Amino acid sequence: RGADLLRTRNLGGSLDGGLPMPNARNLQFESTGRSTAHDISATVSGTLGAATLYGSYGFTRARQDTDDLYSVPADSANLAAEWGRASVPVHRASFGGSISLPDDYAIHPFVTWASPLPFNITSGNDTNLDSVFSDRPSFAAAGQPGAVATPFGIFNPNPQPGEPLIPRNFGLGPTNFTVDATATKTFMASPNSTRRTTIMLGVSNLLNRTNYAGFNGVLTSPYFGTANRALNKRRITVTVRYDF
C-alpha cells in the first residue's frame, strides 16, 4: 500500500481546498495520492546437459490515483474518479541461460517479455473550465454526434456535466519483447595457466523489434495512440577481456 503519494492539483481561486473557481489556475504539489499493489513472482533454474537455464514470471495487479508528481486529476474537485490501474505491466516474463559449446565457446541468450503498459486518455478539451487540459472523455455510442472512434473504444470528447468519464489509464499500448544474446570464445595461455583472453560478441535486440514507450493519449490530437518514442534498436558490441 502506498500513502501520501505526490500529485499536482488545481485549487483554482479556492483558498480552502474546496471547489476551484471557473477558469482560475492555482496549481500546487500535494501528497494526497494512494496506491495498492498485489504482486506474485516465481523463478526457476536448473541445468540440462551443458546448459544452465533460468526463467522468471511476475504478475502484478496495481491501482493508484496518481502516476507521479506531475499527475493532474481530470477534475481536481473529484479525486475519487482518479482511482484506476497503475502504469505497470500486469505480466512480465524472462528466460535466459548459458550454453557451453566445444572448444571453449559459449552462448548466453536472454529473452524478456512484458504485457501492454496502460496510458491515460484525455479529451484535449477543458470541459470543466478549470483551465487545466487534463479532462477525460466519456464513452459514446456508434454514430453519436461528435463521437470519436478509436481502437480503444468510442468516446465523447465533450461529456455533459455529471456524465461518467472513462477510467484513468484506460488505453493500452503493445507488448514489449526483446531477445538479447552474447557469444564468447575463451583462449587459455597454457593448459595450467590462469591467464586467459575472452572475446565476447553481444547483440541486444537481436530481432531488431521495435518496442515503444509512452503514448499520446490526447483524443483530439492527430497523433492520438501513437508512441512518443521507440526503445533501443539492435546493437552489436565486441569486448575483449584479459584475465591474469
Side-chain angles (χ1 to χ4, degrees):
R1 294 180 180 271
D4 300 328
L5 304 182
L6 296 173
R7 63 153 50 102
T8 297
R9 189 181 178 203
N10 179 33
L11 296 183
S14 171
L15 299 178
D16 58 1
L19 295 175
M21 296 173 59
N23 297 313
R25 182 189 292 266
N26 178 17
L27 298 178
Q28 73 171 17
F29 297 135
E30 60 181 30
S31 54
T32 57
R34 60 192 179 96
S35 68
T36 64
H38 297 81
D39 186 86
I40 298 175
S41 60
T43 59
V44 61
S45 62
T47 57
L48 182 63
T52 300
L53 306 174
Y54 58 88
S56 67
Y57 166 78
F59 170 83
T60 299
R61 185 182 185 275
R63 299 178 69 81
Q64 58 192 31
D65 58 8
T66 176
D67 290 321
D68 53 41
L69 174 63
Y70 299 101
S71 290
V72 183
D75 183 356
S76 289
N78 183 15
L79 299 182
E82 298 306 297
W83 187 251
R85 56 188 177 190
S87 298
V88 297
V90 176
H91 305 281
R92 309 172 308 282
S94 63
F95 170 82
S98 177
I99 305 171
S100 298
L101 301 174
D103 298 326
D104 293 322
Y105 284 95
I107 298 177
H108 311 275
F110 186 63
V111 180
T112 59
W113 174 87
S115 60
L117 275 177
F119 66 92
N120 200 30
I121 295 178
T122 60
S123 65
N125 301 324
D126 182 18
T127 308
N128 57 13
L129 301 178
D130 64 355
S131 78
V132 180
F133 290 79
S134 57
D135 302 29
R136 291 193 299 273
S138 62
F139 291 106
Q144 179 178 328
V148 180
T150 77
F152 311 100
I154 304 174
F155 306 117
N156 174 17
N158 297 292
Q160 297 300 310
E163 190 175 344
L165 305 180
I166 68 171
R168 192 175 65 88
N169 285 342
F170 187 76
L172 279 178
T175 60
N176 277 358
F177 177 75
T178 305
V179 178
D180 301 332
T182 301
T184 64
K185 165 62 176 175
T186 301
F187 300 90
M188 303 300 297
S190 64
N192 298 322
S193 174
T194 59
R195 293 180 297 168
R196 62 182 178 181
T197 301
T198 304
I199 300 176
M200 294 175 283
L201 175 66
V203 185
S204 59
N205 196 3
L206 177 66
L207 304 180
N208 205 29
R209 184 182 191 272
T210 303
N211 293 305
Y212 300 100
F215 284 81
N216 187 320
V218 182
L219 185 62
T220 52
S221 167
Y223 302 104
F224 171 75
T226 60
N228 295 328
R229 65 187 180 96
L231 300 180
N232 293 336
K233 56 186 177 181
R234 182 192 294 128
R235 183 177 182 181
I236 300 174
T237 59
V238 178
T239 306
V240 178
R241 187 178 70 193
Y242 178 67
D243 297 289
F244 57 94

